[in-house]
């Protein structure tokens, strides 16, 4: 194995992990509300800014700053659902979608206005920048950290979904909203929790994105947001494992394609969308998806 | 135990219930029969808090529960076996039963109730790890009834439990309804199968396009000429 291939592989896995974390949020919200939450990429963006200000403005030690940022992002996600989606529970799905687009623009413009549109450098944390030598290749510690953290959160999430009462309620609500209510499930609470979980994972991804790619700016959520939406569709929207698979396909595919064909670098972002078109043409329900059922 | 007074419900402009009165005494089996679209399901869904009523009052044990949210209604001891069974297809049989006990925390008693449900429906026990979506229609109906029992209801409302089932299964479902009733659960039963329903019911109501047109003892309604011709499929002399 050539050393540069190893380097690309490591990069691809990191990027794939980050995509997976964000894609889960799309897929969970879709599963429960049949809504493509266009604001999700911007929630991701807010996560990096929260961490940035925690360290730079409030001088918190970085682990504390990260925890505070994750909590703040989770609350933001919950607040958005309460304010922009909950009042539209009985409205047509299109209204909900338009509301999500509105929230997305609101967050982006608020960020430009409050944080300024100029890119900021994410604070440098020496621990993550340390390099380790593996098979003659120098690899940054963050490149190991990202997939490890992703796996831990994924394991916790799958445990909660499949083996707890809360997870059972979440599966019930996403399958049959009304019957879940007949069981006595407080569906609004379950929806809130879904947004909290999705936003938490987005924040975790966002912070690691900040560490890895070092630059943050108000529109940084747009492209990853779109790609992660694609990842969720590729994996089969509504399916959590599918979102993870989709995230890794996108991350690895993007990095390895550019590595193999360096003059295609300009088409880097196009890869995701070509994949989306192919999937929609040949397997519209995604890799792990079942039949897509319209919510009535 | 459950009392409905002058209940009116409309969907958009269409009035589905035009002021109905209905009473379910504790310990009884009451049935509500009527043709398609009469408003039977709407009645149950309104009691359950799934549909908001326009006017009228629903009281349960003397307490006004009109417009209360579904979880609080379930907590009070009212449960619904919905039309079309509505089991959660990708949850296992056991998970479906557990989710019926969602609001309860008395684990020891939940276990006992699970045993009781398995006693009523031994087939569910054999299939406890099977996904509910792979059960036959009859088994799904058993599961829907078992799931409702897991909430420890004081009153169980059932929306057409015999729909689409073979006569033998229907018979066994009806005998289980009677057994559940003997265990102290009050029953409000909706049926198109008026013959079977009236036979086991203490009291029956006939609903026609949003209005109660007849009420009486189950046995009396069985003998009623109008009921006979409209719901029991027996011929009546044609009037001009
Ligand atoms: N969600 C809804 N939106 C609009 N109209 C509805 C809705 N649900 C029911 N209706 C209408 O209300 C009326 C009563 O419906 P309901 O489902 O209560 O009838 P039903 O007696 O249960 O009939 P069936 O025996 O066919 O189940 C019907 O005319 C139906 O079209
Ligand atoms: Mg009905």
């Amino acid at each position: 194995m050539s050393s540069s291939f190893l380097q690309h592989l490591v990069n691809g896995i990191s990027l794939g992990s980050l995509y997976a974390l964000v894609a889960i949020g799309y897929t969970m919200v879709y599963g429960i509300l049949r809504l493509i939450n266009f604001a999700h990429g911007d929630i991701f963006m807010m996560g990096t800014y929260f961490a940035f200000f925690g360290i730079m403005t409030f001088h918190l030690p970085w682990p504390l700053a990260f925890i505070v940022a994750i909590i703040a992002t989770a609350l933001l996600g919950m607040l958005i659902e309460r304010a922009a989606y909950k009042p539209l529970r009985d409205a047509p799905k299109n209204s909900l979608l338009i509301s999500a687009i509105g929230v997305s623009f609101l967050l982006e413009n608020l960020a430009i206005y409050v944080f300024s549109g100029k890119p900021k450098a994410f604070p440098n944390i020496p621990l993550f920048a340390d390099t380790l030598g593996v098979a003659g290749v120098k690899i940054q510690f963050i490149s190991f950290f990202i997939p490890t953290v992703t796996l831990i959160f994924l394991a916790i999430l799958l445990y909660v979904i499949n083996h707890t009462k809360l997870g059972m309620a979440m599966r019930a609500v996403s399958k049959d909203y009304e019957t879940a209510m007949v069981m006595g499930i407080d569906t609004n609470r379950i929806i809130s929790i879904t947004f909290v979980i999705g936003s938490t994972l987005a924040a975790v991804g966002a912070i690691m994105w900040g560490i890895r790619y070092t630059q943050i700016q108000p529109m940084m959520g747009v492209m990853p947001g779109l790609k992660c939406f694609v990842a969720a569709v590729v994996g089969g929207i509504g399916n959590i494992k599918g979102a993870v698979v989709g995230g890794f396909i996108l991350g690895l595919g993007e990095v390895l394609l550019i590595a193999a064909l360096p003059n295609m670098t300009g088409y880097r972002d196009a890869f995701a969308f070509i994949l989306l078109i192919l999937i929609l043409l040949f397997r519209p329900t995604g890799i792990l998806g079942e039949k897509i059922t319209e919510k009535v | 135990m459950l009392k409905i007074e002058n209940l009116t419900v409309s969907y958009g402009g269409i009035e589905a219930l035009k002021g109905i009165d209905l009473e379910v005494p504790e310990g009884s089996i009451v049935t509500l029969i009527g043709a398609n679209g009469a408003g039977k399901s709407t009645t149950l869904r309104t009691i359950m808090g799934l549909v908001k009523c326009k006017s009228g009052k629903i009281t349960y044990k003397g307490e006004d529960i009109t417009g209360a949210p579904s979880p609080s209604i379930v907590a009070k001891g009212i449960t619904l076996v919905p039309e079309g069974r509505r089991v959660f297809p990708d949850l296992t049989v056991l998970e479906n039963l557990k989710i019926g006990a969602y609001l309860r925390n008395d684990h020891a008693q939940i276990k006992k109730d699970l045993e009781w449900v398995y006693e009523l429906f031994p087939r569910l026990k054999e299939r406890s790890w099977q996904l509910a979506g792979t059960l036959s229609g009859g088994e799904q109906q058993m599961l829907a009834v078992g799931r409702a029992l897991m909430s420890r209801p004081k009153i169980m409302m059932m929306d057409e439990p015999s729909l689409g089932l073979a006569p033998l299964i229907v018979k066994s479902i009806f005998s289980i309804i009677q057994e559940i009733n003997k265990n102290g659960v009050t029953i409000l039963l909706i049926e198109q199968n008026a013959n079977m329903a009236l036979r086991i019911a203490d009291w029956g109501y006939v609903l026609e396009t949003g209005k109660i047109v007849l009420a009486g003892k189950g046995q009396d309604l069985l003998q009623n000429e109008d009921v006979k011709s409209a719901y029991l499929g027996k011929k009546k002399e044609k009037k001009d």
Side-chain angles (χ1 to χ4, degrees):
Chain A
M1 198 167 24
S2 86
S3 64
S4 73
F5 178 73
L6 188 66
Q7 180 72 60
H8 292 309
L9 194 65
V10 168
N11 289 344
I13 289 173
S14 291
L15 186 61
S17 303
L18 295 174
Y19 284 165
L21 283 172
V22 180
I24 290 171
Y26 277 103
T27 229
M28 286 181 76
V29 166
Y30 183 86
I32 215 148
L33 286 185
R34 300 297 182 270
L35 163 73
I36 294 154
N37 182 14
F38 274 106
H40 194 58
D42 305 297
I43 292 174
F44 167 87
M45 173 272 294
M46 295 299 275
T48 53
Y49 273 97
F50 289 150
F52 174 89
F53 287 114
I55 294 174
M56 302 305 280
T57 310
F58 296 101
H59 306 291
L60 299 175
W62 65 264
L64 184 61
F66 288 176
I67 291 170
V68 171
I70 290 168
I71 293 172
T73 314
L75 290 177
L76 178 68
M78 191 171 96
L79 189 79
I80 288 171
E81 192 278 320
R82 283 278 164 85
Y85 305 151
K86 191 178 169 196
L88 297 173
R89 209 69 98 216
D90 299 320
K93 293 288 166 229
N94 283 346
S95 313
L96 203 58
L97 200 63
I98 291 165
S99 187
I101 294 169
V103 172
S104 170
F105 287 161
L106 177 71
L107 290 178
E108 287 163 13
N109 288 290
L110 207 64
I112 292 173
Y113 184 72
V114 180
F115 310 148
S116 109
K118 261 190 281 170
K120 293 187 191 321
F122 197 81
N124 178 35
I125 298 158
L127 169 70
F128 294 111
D130 277 354
T131 55
L132 295 106
V134 179
V137 189
K138 280 196 173 155
I139 293 170
Q140 280 191 337
F141 176 63
I142 184 72
S143 297
F144 294 103
F145 187 73
I146 291 174
T148 309
V149 169
T150 302
L151 279 181
I152 292 171
F153 274 91
L154 195 61
I156 296 172
L157 179 67
L158 289 177
Y159 178 80
V160 170
I161 299 277
N162 292 321
H163 299 287
T164 67
K165 193 168 169 179
L166 171 67
M168 193 167 72
M170 292 173 76
R171 281 180 287 149
V173 174
S174 69
K175 205 69 200 181
D176 188 339
Y177 187 84
E178 196 177 277
T179 307
M181 282 172 78
V182 171
M183 298 298 110
I185 296 170
D186 181 348
T187 45
N188 283 325
R189 187 173 145 260
I190 298 295
I191 291 169
S192 270
I193 292 172
T194 304
F195 274 83
V196 165
I197 294 175
S199 305
T200 298
L201 297 179
V204 171
I207 291 167
M208 296 197 292
W209 185 283
I211 298 171
R212 179 79 174 72
Y213 300 103
T214 64
Q215 217 189 46
I216 67 175
Q217 44 99 0
M219 302 305 279
M220 66 177 284
V222 176
M223 195 46 80
L226 282 173
K227 286 183 188 169
C228 293
F229 162 62
V230 172
V233 173
V234 167
I237 195 139
N239 183 312
I240 290 174
K241 285 180 192 149
V244 175
V245 170
F248 277 99
I249 290 178
L250 246 70
L252 274 168
E254 188 180 316
V255 170
L256 295 181
L257 193 79
I258 303 311
L261 308 163
N263 26 6
M264 296 284 281
T265 310
Y267 293 97
R268 183 181 186 128
D269 294 337
F271 171 69
F273 303 104
I274 292 168
L275 191 65
L276 176 67
I277 293 168
L278 291 179
I279 278 282
L280 290 179
L281 282 178
F282 297 108
R283 199 176 157 81
T285 54
I287 294 167
L288 298 182
E290 354 150 24
K291 218 177 104 223
I292 296 173
T293 42
E294 260 304 309
K295 193 139 183 169
V296 270
Chain B
M1 182 183 215
L2 183 70
K3 198 169 168 188
I4 293 173
E5 292 163 90
N6 199 20
L7 190 69
T8 315
V9 174
S10 60
Y11 296 106
I14 309 149
E15 274 210 328
L17 294 179
K18 302 165 184 161
I20 65 164
D21 295 277
L22 190 148
E23 204 174 337
V24 186
E26 184 150 16
S28 63
I29 299 182
V30 172
T31 186
L32 180 63
I33 59 176
N36 291 114
K40 304 180 301 292
S41 299
T42 302
T43 308
L44 297 197
R45 290 159 48 79
T46 311
I47 297 170
M48 221 48 222
L50 298 171
V51 177
K52 297 269 166 280
C53 63
K54 209 166 85 182
S55 67
K57 194 171 164 193
I58 305 168
T59 44
Y60 173 71
K61 293 187 165 174
E63 187 188 348
D64 187 352
I65 57 161
T66 323
S70 308
S72 84
I73 289 175
V74 177
K76 286 185 205 310
I78 303 177
T79 189
L80 171 69
V81 182
E83 185 171 20
R85 329 188 220 290
R86 303 280 279 265
V87 296
F88 296 104
D90 36 13
L91 267 59
T92 64
V93 168
L94 182 61
E95 282 178 321
N96 267 280
L97 292 172
K98 278 186 176 168
I99 211 160
Y102 183 76
L103 289 178
R104 298 172 58 190
N105 285 310
D106 48 341
H107 298 285
Q109 191 59 48
I110 290 177
K111 231 177 171 175
K112 274 190 205 156
D113 290 345
L114 189 64
E115 287 311 314
W116 181 47
V117 169
Y118 280 156
E119 239 171 75
L120 286 175
F121 305 108
R123 274 223 223 172
L124 295 183
K125 188 169 189 174
E126 290 161 24
R127 291 157 200 276
S128 65
W129 295 106
Q130 196 171 323
L131 291 183
T134 64
L135 296 176
S136 76
E139 289 161 351
Q140 288 190 9
Q141 188 63 62
M142 295 172 194
L143 181 57
V145 175
R147 182 179 68 178
L149 287 175
M150 289 303 292
S151 70
R152 267 218 144 214
K154 299 197 179 69
I155 173 164
M156 179 156 82
M157 307 192 291
M158 308 176 84
D159 197 340
E160 302 195 34
S162 74
L163 195 75
L165 302 183
L168 215 62
I169 311 269
V170 173
K171 238 180 148 181
S172 88
I173 293 267
F174 271 81
S175 74
I176 282 168
I177 293 173
Q178 285 178 295
E179 186 172 342
I180 292 167
N181 179 247
K182 284 200 190 90
N183 272 275
V185 182
T186 307
I187 307 272
L188 174 54
L189 174 67
I190 282 188
E191 263 303 336
Q192 300 231 19
N193 193 336
N195 191 14
M196 291 283 264
L198 290 172
R199 237 174 253 277
I200 66 163
D202 301 303
W203 194 261
Y205 291 90
V206 179
L207 191 63
E208 246 169 47
T209 55
K211 277 193 185 133
I212 302 269
V213 293
L214 256 180
K217 284 196 181 136
Q219 294 302 328
D220 297 348
L221 289 181
L222 270 174
Q223 305 306 324
N224 183 294
E225 287 299 323
D226 292 326
V227 174
K228 268 189 190 169
S229 69
Y231 302 105
L232 302 177
K234 287 175 187 149
K235 275 196 188 129
K236 193 173 78 165
E237 298 286 307
K238 264 196 182 158
K239 283 179 278 186
D240 283 10

